[in-house]
Amino acid sequence: MRLIERRVHSDLLVDLAEDLATRWVPDVLADVDLGEAVLDPRVAKEDVRLTDVPRVGGGVRRAPVLSGSALSALRSAVQPLREVSDEVLDPAVCGYRLGATGDVSYSEEYRRFRAFAEALSEQSSWVVVADVSNFFDSVSPHAVRLALRSDFESAIEPMVDLLLQFRRRGVAGLPAGYGDARLIANAVLAPVDRALGVPFTRWIDDYRIFTSTRAEADRVVQSLRNALGQLDMRLNDAKLEIMPTLEYRRTRHGVPLDSVYHPQDEPENAVSAALRSVFISAVSTGDRRRLRFVLPRLARELDPSAIDYAFAALHANSIDAPRLVHYLSAFASDDAVAARIRALASEPALSDWVLMRIVPLLCRIDLDEGAFSAIRKRATTTDSSLLWGLLIRTLAVHHHAPTLNFLTRPEGVQDSRAAAAALMDLGSEVPGWMRTAASEATIRALERRAGDGSGGAPLPKVESLL
């Protein structure tokens, strides 16, 4: 690979770091083959898979899980947009102004969004809180053409072509959860921003709009409806709020959460008391932001106070399963916690979402025959290639002989990457029929690791920012 190609390739892997840390489903190989996969941009069948993810208010949504090749194809499609977006987007648009970038973190940009909103709220009397109904699914090729024709005309066709490819793989609009898709989202809403005519700030499709009077707030809501309607989009009336700024600051702002956690300055008992207070408040009020903040810090302090809650929430199919699993990983070496993880995995009614998220734990604890039996049964009955791959990998990591029953039948393989890695875990030869476009990058990466002494495939990651 030439020097310039190597540098571009390395930069891409850095830029995709947040996308990988917020994956809907943990990767069976911890993305060990990503460096190979991104060199082959494509949107084939194995590159776009769908999974059910719980919604906060109940029900589920179909979320896309993109391979490294599909992420690379998305990256290529938005490149013309990236070259002009930062100059064209309103300064009050926060987050993903350049798409997936390694030098700007989600947390930094979200703090900028909150700072914008707080400053503008001090200069106004009313606040409109609004977002778009089913926004990512609503971003159609038609909407892209309409929205981008003025500012981003040269960037339209690559993105339209990519959206059509995604549509053929079952993705209704933009693939939610990826930085470069959020860049397209920001660009699509640029003409809507211009229609407001009042101060605002926006995080993807999450608007904070500031006015002097209630009547002006009502007018701007109608302007927002009209502008969205021109793109065949709708305002989410269930989340629409119009409130005085004093109420907005009281309910939407407050003491930054980081102010409660000072392990370098405070004694252990003070740190523990502060974190437990935030945890109790988060659970009692249903505040996901607080919960997502406090769980990794409780894990860092090895504070077991959230263990019972974590298992109860996993039983209930919580959308916060990634953070709950990350928290429980700090206690997985405890026999009692490991026993509860095994019991959870053995529950027949456990959702695919939770089972996929706890696989990194299952790969790190001892499993008994009851757990192996449950895993085998789910692997033979599931129609989810994502779940199948993770379960096969779990069995292979534990060198469980029945794994071969799933791997030696060509008609039974649902995920060629996972199957190839599992065979290599067991020291077996990968048959020619298993060498697909998707698995070749995996096989090359694992062979290189074996050759240079790096070891086998890494375990699925426990850590998550989702």
Side-chain angles (χ1 to χ4, degrees), residues 6 27 36 92 114 202 226 261 290 328-329 354 360 362 373 425 432:
R6 186 179 298 116
D27 186 73
E36 296 276 352
R114 284 174 56 85
R202 173 165 64 80
N226 293 342
Y261 184 62
R290 284 177 175 266
L328 287 175
S329 69
V354 173
L362 298 176
S373 177
D425 280 336

Side-chain angles (χ1 to χ4, degrees), residues 307-324:
I307 288 177
D308 287 343
Y309 169 82
F311 279 107
L314 289 171
H315 278 280
N317 197 34
S318 172
I319 189 176
D320 291 308
R323 297 292 180 111
L324 296 167

